[in-house]
């Protein structure tokens, strides 16, 4: 999008109070050590920093170098304060100012001439960003006439020619390459000392090409060539990307384009774009897919201004998704380098940023959130906080949470139960536990073991368990107690291991205990058990009928009927106490239970046990006497 320098009034004020262009030198700090460490690179379809994922949401602040030349570095300082306050880690700015701007310093006031005052302002921007822990995506020329741009190059190297001359005229190409070579090799006068003194670097200061503060070099801001022959911009992008990489292999290179293409392949139907076919017919002379595929282009670049492109704001979600997916298909991330809309900005920005986040886009930079003193450059001013700044800051926070080293992987074992706690050999024991992960994990083994004082007597392992961050997974092990198991107290132990059993994440040595008793001489047989009606609904009455037969005469017996949910929670119980039996006698039991109106639909289980008078002896337990369904 074409920009206009809105700071004329600010420049006049500075002159009126007597601050000259050279004032930036007097305000410059003493050289200091670097804060940023490591170059941002790519790994597949994501950005990485020092081997870890690097996601970001930030803003454009194109004016920082130019503003610093006014003799007051406050705008750069305030932008860094703003960025830190809102959680930004990347800003996008201009690394060009071409042409004679009168008494206002320009980086390149004449062909091949470079102004030291202006470059010291650029030095300051990079130095300040470094101290703030900020990265800068820096464009090296403008398609538009603002700050000179390609139109100024054409005046120098091919007067009267069309924009195509910038991309094809050898003199223009050489002039651009000369500027790029000087810019990348520039020693930062405020930077740390990183190399031996030399003729072009007497103090051995760090050069721009060696500064990890630079996120990436953008060949141009929004390169276009309307009406040009096919492939003109594409050829230029390939040649210039290779040239930049030949000078600076440390940094990523991007085209800086808006995302227009010369193909519809990979894009949603034109109807999704209000039938704006010009976006994909090559009429702007730009080919996003082909440019992104270039081996020297590290990532895709696209912008979004639907109001200027005759699109509804909702089409922005499709534009974002399509470009991320096309770049991903090429094995590269993308930079959503500029976006803005004039109506319902906060709501629209929130949708666009969440779309980019859902598609795992690399980074997004709004046009533009700026400091109060920067308001002359146009944008959303902060502070105070607004709906727009809140939306962008929240998106930055979410991006930052995905960046950096992965969260330490840990697991927590929840409450563990063994039911029934007093179990007779031959019965079924239900062990219930849960495991919660602190971070995403896959291929995990959850191990449940039963031990006596001598060692392990039983084990159940659950391999290939996958967890999302914070996810809790339940585990139930129904274990038939062997008839040969000696009576005594047993312990349940729970451990969590990696897929190969080599890493133990956690171990609970005493998760639960239970007691095993020998089969009593006095025995009871339960059944059959019938339920009616089945299925049934909330509020209905369920009739539970069962029989119990004693092997020998007994008194003071308790017959216990219980109802459980599918998850193992007891919801109802009926006890028939002081039951007396003759040897071989069978007694019938009927429990009429009204289904609570609040009971959730599902399958429920009836369990039946026979105990002595004080519950200390369990004669028998039927873990699944019958089941019924609540509709």
């Amino acid at each position: 999008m074409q920009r206009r320098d809105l700071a004329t009034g600010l420049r006049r004020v500075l002159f009126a109070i007597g601050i000259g262009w050279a004032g930036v030198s007097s305000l410059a700090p003493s050289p200091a050590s670097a804060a940023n460490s490591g170059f941002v690179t790519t790994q597949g379809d994501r950005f990485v920093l020092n081997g870890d994922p690097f996601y970001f949401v930030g803003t454009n602040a194109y004016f920082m170098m130019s503003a610093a030349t006014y003799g007051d570095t406050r705008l750069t300082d305030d932008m860094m304060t703003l960025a830190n306050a809102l959680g930004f880690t990347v800003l996008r700015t201009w690394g060009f100012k071409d042409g004679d701007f009168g008494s206002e310093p320009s980086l390149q006031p004449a062909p091949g001439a470079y102004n030291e005052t202006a470059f010291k302002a650029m030095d300051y921007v990079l130095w300040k960003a470094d101290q703030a822990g900020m990265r800068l995506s820096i464009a090296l020329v403008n398609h538009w006439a603002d700050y000179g741009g390609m139109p100024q190059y054409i005046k120098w190297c091919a007067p009267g020619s069309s924009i195509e001359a910038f991309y094809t005229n050898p003199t223009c190409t050489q002039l651009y390459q000369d500027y790029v070579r000087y810019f990348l090799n520039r020693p930062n006068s405020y930077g740390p000392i990183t190399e031996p003194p030399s003729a072009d670097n007497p103090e051995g200061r760090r050069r721009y090409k060696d500064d990890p503060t630079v996120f990436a070099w953008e060949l141009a801001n929004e390169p276009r060539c309307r009406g040009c022959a096919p492939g003109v911009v594409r050829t230029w992008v390939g040649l210039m990307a290779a040239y930049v990489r030949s000078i600076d292999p440390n940094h990523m290179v991007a085209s800086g384009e808006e995302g227009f293409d010369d193909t519809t392949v990979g894009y949603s139907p034109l109807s999704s774009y209000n039938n704006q076919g010009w976006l994909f017919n090559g009429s702007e002379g730009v080919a996003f897919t082909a440019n992104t595929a270039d081996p020297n282009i590290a990532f895709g670049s696209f912008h979004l201004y639907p109001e200027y492109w005759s699109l509804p704001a909702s089409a922005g979600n499709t534009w974002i998704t399509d470009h991320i997916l096309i770049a991903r298909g090429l094995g590269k991330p993308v930079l959503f380098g500029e976006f803005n809309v004039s109506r319902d900005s906060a709501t629209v920005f929130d949708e666009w940023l969440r779309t980019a986040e859902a598609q795992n886009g690399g980074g997004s930079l709004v046009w533009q959130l700026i400091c109060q003193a920067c308001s002359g450059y146009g944008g959303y001013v902060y502070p105070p906080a607004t709906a727009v700044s809140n939306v962008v800051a929240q998106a930055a926070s979410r991006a930052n949470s995905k960046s950096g080293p992965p969260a330490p992987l840990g697991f927590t074992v929840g409450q563990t139960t063994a039911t029934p706690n007093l179990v007779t050999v031959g019965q079924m024991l239900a062990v219930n536990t849960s495991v919660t992960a602190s971070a995403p994990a896959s291929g995990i083994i959850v191990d449940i073991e039963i031990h006596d004082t001598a060692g392990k007597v039983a084990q159940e392992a659950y391999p290939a368990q996958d967890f999302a961050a914070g996810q809790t997974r339940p585990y139930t092990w129904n274990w038939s107690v062997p008839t040969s198991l000696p009576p005594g107290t047993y312990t349940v132990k729970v451990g969590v291991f990696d897929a190969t059993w080599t890493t133990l994440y956690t171990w609970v040595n005493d998760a639960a205990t239970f007691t095993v008793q020998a089969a009593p001489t006095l025995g009871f047989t339960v059944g059959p058990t019938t339920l009616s009606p089945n299925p049934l609904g909330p509020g209905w009455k369920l009739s539970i009928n069962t029989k119990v037969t004693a092997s020998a005469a007994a008194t003071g017996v308790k017959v216990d009927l219980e109802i459980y949910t599918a998850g193992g929670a007891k919801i109802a119980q009926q006890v028939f106490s002081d039951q007396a039996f003759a040897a071989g006698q069978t007694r019938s039991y009927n429990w009429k239970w009204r289904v609570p109106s609040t009971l959730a639909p599902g399958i429920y289980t009836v369990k039946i046990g026979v105990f002595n008078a004080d519950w200390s002896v369990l004669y028998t337990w039927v873990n699944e006497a019958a089941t019924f369904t609540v509709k």
Side-chain angles (χ1 to χ4, degrees):
M1 180 61 60
Q2 187 173 6
R3 316 292 172 217
R4 295 295 180 191
D5 186 346
L6 303 178
T8 301
L10 174 59
R11 292 196 294 272
R12 289 174 178 169
V13 169
L14 289 169
F15 276 123
I17 62 176
I19 299 178
W21 302 125
V24 66
S25 300
S26 63
L27 296 175
S30 300
S33 60
N36 283 321
S37 175
F39 297 94
V40 180
T41 59
T42 65
Q43 188 177 85
D45 64 350
R46 67 181 183 178
F47 296 115
V48 294
L49 174 60
N50 299 320
D52 296 318
F54 184 70
Y55 294 93
F56 58 90
V57 170
T59 183
N60 283 263
Y62 74 93
F63 49 83
M64 289 191 293
M65 177 280 301
S66 183
T69 65
Y70 303 160
D72 185 351
T73 56
R74 288 180 306 161
L75 275 64
T76 298
D77 296 347
D78 288 357
M79 280 305 305
M80 298 307 159
T81 300
L82 174 150
N84 287 149
L86 296 179
F88 300 164
T89 55
V90 175
L91 303 178
R92 183 169 176 265
T93 195
W94 292 171
F96 55 80
K97 193 168 188 180
D98 307 302
D100 184 358
F101 289 79
S103 57
E104 179 181 333
S106 169
L107 290 171
Q108 185 176 205
Y114 310 119
N115 182 282
E116 181 64 16
T117 297
F119 265 98
K120 277 198 171 182
M122 191 74 235
D123 292 348
Y124 183 85
V125 172
L126 278 162
W127 178 87
K128 190 67 178 182
D130 184 19
Q131 297 306 300
M134 209 62 51
R135 310 278 170 156
L136 300 179
S137 189
I138 300 176
L140 297 171
V141 72
N142 203 0
H143 163 77
W144 310 100
D146 305 291
Y147 287 67
M150 296 180 190
Q152 179 61 65
Y153 272 82
I154 292 171
K155 291 178 183 178
W156 285 335
C157 58
S161 300
S162 68
I163 191 68
E164 185 170 354
F166 176 83
Y167 299 104
T168 60
N169 182 283
T171 304
C172 293
T173 297
Q174 188 62 57
L175 186 58
Y176 174 81
Q177 289 181 331
D178 290 346
Y179 176 75
V180 168
R181 183 174 62 254
Y182 180 86
F183 195 96
L184 272 57
N185 283 300
R186 162 84 181 181
N188 191 320
S189 56
Y190 310 132
I193 296 173
T194 59
E195 61 183 61
S198 59
D200 70 334
N201 189 5
E203 295 181 331
R205 301 295 180 188
R206 183 170 64 187
R207 300 176 189 270
Y208 289 6
K209 68 179 182 180
D210 299 320
D211 188 349
T213 303
V214 176
F215 171 79
W217 304 117
E218 295 186 24
L219 298 176
N221 173 55
E222 301 184 336
R224 293 191 191 187
C225 193
R226 184 174 297 171
C228 291
V232 166
V233 176
R234 170 71 202 98
T235 299
W236 182 84
V237 166
L239 291 173
M240 295 307 106
Y243 181 74
V244 172
R245 291 287 292 168
S246 72
I247 299 172
D248 177 4
N250 293 320
H251 291 102
M252 300 180 292
V253 178
S255 66
E257 65 194 273
E258 294 155 281
F260 307 135
D261 218 325
D262 62 356
T263 179
T264 58
V265 175
Y267 293 95
S268 300
L270 280 180
S271 57
S272 302
Y273 292 105
N274 196 29
N275 295 311
Q276 296 298 306
W278 65 273
L279 295 169
F280 312 105
N281 66 10
S283 61
E284 295 299 320
V286 187
F288 170 83
T289 302
N291 289 338
T292 304
D294 188 281
N296 290 303
I297 292 295
F299 57 87
S301 304
F302 71 98
H303 298 175
L304 177 54
Y305 292 95
E307 292 161 310
Y308 290 91
W309 301 347
S310 299
L311 297 176
S314 58
N317 297 309
T318 308
W319 182 258
I320 294 165
T321 299
D322 285 352
H323 284 81
I324 291 174
L325 294 181
I326 288 171
R328 179 170 299 144
L330 297 169
K332 297 182 181 182
V334 292
L335 173 61
F336 186 13
E338 291 186 22
F339 60 92
N340 202 354
V341 67
S342 63
R343 296 182 179 180
D344 301 320
S345 300
T347 301
V348 174
F349 288 175
D350 190 46
E351 290 181 5
W352 289 352
L353 289 166
R354 289 185 184 277
T355 296
E357 181 181 337
Q359 295 299 330
N360 209 33
S364 304
L365 302 172
V366 66
W367 189 279
Q368 58 182 347
L369 259 170
I370 57 177
C371 65
Q372 287 182 331
C374 311
S375 59
Y377 292 96
Y380 303 92
V381 175
Y382 175 92
T386 62
V388 165
S389 68
N390 288 340
V391 161
V392 180
Q394 289 162 8
S397 177
R398 295 193 301 270
N400 295 340
S401 70
K402 297 165 56 179
S403 301
L409 180 57
F411 295 88
T412 303
V413 175
Q415 182 180 4
T416 303
T417 60
T419 306
N421 190 252
L422 177 64
V423 63
T424 302
V425 293
Q427 278 188 265
M428 191 71 70
L429 178 76
V431 179
N432 289 279
T433 191
S434 64
V435 174
T436 303
S438 64
S442 60
I444 298 301
I445 298 172
V446 175
D447 178 41
I448 306 176
E449 301 179 5
I450 295 174
H451 288 243
D452 62 11
T453 55
K456 181 170 62 179
V457 299
Q459 180 179 22
E460 181 75 2
Y462 300 84
Q465 302 297 293
D466 296 334
F467 291 82
Q471 181 180 6
T472 299
R473 296 182 65 103
Y475 296 91
T476 298
W477 175 22
N478 292 311
W479 179 56
S480 179
V481 180
T483 56
S484 59
L485 197 68
T489 299
Y490 291 81
T491 301
V492 178
K493 304 174 186 280
V494 182
V496 182
F497 296 81
D498 71 352
T500 63
W501 294 91
T502 57
T503 300
L504 171 63
Y505 294 108
T506 190
W507 180 263
V508 181
N509 204 49
D510 191 2
T513 59
F514 63 93
T515 301
V516 174
Q517 64 179 7
T521 303
L522 175 61
F524 292 87
T525 302
V526 175
T529 302
T530 61
L531 309 176
S532 178
N534 188 12
L536 71 168
W540 293 22
K541 185 175 288 186
L542 175 67
S543 179
I544 304 172
N545 293 279
T546 192
K547 298 179 184 294
V548 176
T549 302
S551 64
T555 58
V557 173
K558 293 183 186 292
V559 176
D560 178 36
L561 281 64
E562 300 179 5
I563 298 174
Y564 285 76
T565 68
K570 183 168 67 176
I571 60 172
Q573 181 177 24
Q574 176 67 39
V575 179
F576 298 90
S577 300
D578 297 322
Q579 303 297 295
F581 290 83
Q585 181 181 5
T586 299
R587 296 180 63 103
S588 298
Y589 295 92
N590 175 258
W591 176 19
K592 295 188 182 297
W593 177 65
R594 186 171 297 280
V595 179
S597 60
T598 57
L599 196 64
I603 298 175
Y604 295 83
T605 301
V606 176
K607 305 185 181 194
I608 300 175
V610 182
F611 296 81
N612 69 347
D614 63 1
W615 298 91
S616 62
V617 177
L618 171 63
Y619 295 111
T620 190
W621 179 265
V622 181
N623 206 50
E624 191 174 338
T627 61
F628 63 93
T629 301
V630 175
K631 301 182 292 183

